[in-house]
């Protein structure tokens, strides 16, 4: 379930509607947002299956005039370190000028009959700001099949700080629309900070 909007009150209501430890999540998000007005937000709850356990987690994305805030809350079952179930909440606040990429991948069914404005079947929002990067390396080679020289390595580095997948089948069409709206607001905000630098 994803919820998006533009007010602090709407953000609190969306967190409460998610039903996922709303008091805990809202307090963590509010502490990170502080007194800044909310420009846009997205609340996404996801349920995953891990062996014999059902796990839930919620991600809250908030855009203010100067920052991108991401909050993630996971629940954990009782284990050797804790006799009772517990939840872990983390928040990160990123200045808008640090965001290096906003990638929105769209999956569209029957692309030959696509019409403008048609809702994608699924979207994946990937946001990079340099906190996490994936490095893929492989041995470099030359075109000579008989060459035995060491040519070192070649590879690529990909920013991959946050990736959020929302599908029409799993989350509903409104969640896909809300993710598209948040991605657009974030893209426009990062473009605006680039032009004012």
């Amino acid at each position: 379930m994803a919820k998006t909007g533009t007010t602090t009150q709407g953000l609190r209501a969306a967190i409460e509607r998610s039903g996922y430890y709303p008091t805990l999540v809202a307090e963590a998000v509010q502490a990170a947002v502080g007194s800044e007005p909310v420009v846009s937000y997205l609340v996404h709850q996801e349920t995953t299956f891990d062996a014999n356990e059902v796990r839930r987690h919620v991600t809250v994305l908030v855009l203010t005039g100067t920052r991108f805030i991401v909050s993630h809350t996971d629940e954990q079952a009782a284990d050797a370190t804790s006799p009772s179930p517990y939840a872990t909440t983390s928040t990160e606040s990123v200045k808008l000028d640090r965001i290096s990429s906003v990638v929105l991948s769209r999956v569209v069914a029957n692309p030959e009959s696509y019409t403008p404005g048609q809702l994608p079947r699924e979207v994946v929002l990937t946001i990079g700001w340099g906190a996490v990067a994936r490095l893929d390396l492989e041995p470099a080679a030359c075109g000579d099949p008989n060459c035995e020289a060491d040519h070192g390595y070649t590879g690529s580095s990909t920013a991959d700080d946050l990736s959020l997948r929302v599908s029409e089948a799993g989350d509903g069409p409104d969640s896909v629309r809300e993710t598209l709206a948040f991605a657009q607001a974030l893209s426009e905000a990062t473009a605006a900070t680039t032009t004012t630098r």
Side-chain angles (χ1 to χ4, degrees):
M1 153 191 342
K3 298 291 175 202
T4 189
T6 58
T7 67
T8 303
Q9 294 83 9
L11 172 59
R12 175 65 190 230
I15 291 170
E16 288 177 4
R17 278 192 306 274
S18 79
Y20 185 83
Y21 306 119
T23 305
L24 172 67
V25 173
E27 182 178 276
V29 171
Q30 183 55 49
V33 171
S35 60
E36 267 194 280
V38 172
V39 173
S40 186
Y41 62 83
L42 180 68
V43 177
H44 182 258
Q45 182 185 332
E46 188 173 12
T47 302
T48 56
F49 300 93
D50 182 19
N52 296 329
E53 294 182 41
V54 176
R55 293 184 184 240
R56 299 179 306 157
H57 59 267
V58 67
T59 302
V60 180
L61 308 179
V62 180
L63 175 63
T64 71
T66 62
R67 297 178 296 146
F68 166 68
I69 297 162
V70 58
S71 174
H72 190 79
T73 304
D74 282 301
E75 66 182 357
Q76 306 292 330
D79 57 23
T81 63
S82 176
S84 60
Y86 60 98
T88 304
T89 299
S90 63
T91 57
E92 184 171 0
S93 177
V94 181
K95 288 183 175 183
L96 287 177
D97 63 2
R98 294 239 0 253
I99 294 179
S100 56
S101 65
V102 178
V103 180
L104 185 67
S105 300
R106 302 167 189 244
V107 177
V108 177
N110 304 313
E112 69 282 356
S113 59
Y114 177 81
T115 57
Q118 180 180 332
L119 196 62
R121 181 176 72 190
E122 170 182 316
V123 293
V124 179
L125 175 60
T126 305
I127 303 164
W129 58 90
V132 177
R134 185 177 66 242
L135 187 61
D136 295 320
L137 294 175
E138 62 184 38
C142 67
D144 181 358
N146 298 319
C147 180
E148 295 181 11
D150 182 357
H151 294 284
Y153 289 88
T154 185
S156 62
S157 175
T158 308
D160 196 14
D161 294 307
L162 173 77
S163 190
L164 188 70
R165 178 184 171 269
V166 179
S167 71
E168 185 178 19
D171 303 294
D174 287 343
S175 295
V176 174
R177 279 187 202 89
E178 292 159 357
T179 304
L180 291 169
F182 183 83
Q184 182 174 347
L186 182 60
S187 290
E188 290 172 356
T190 57
T193 61
T194 302
T195 59
T196 59
R197 279 189 217 171

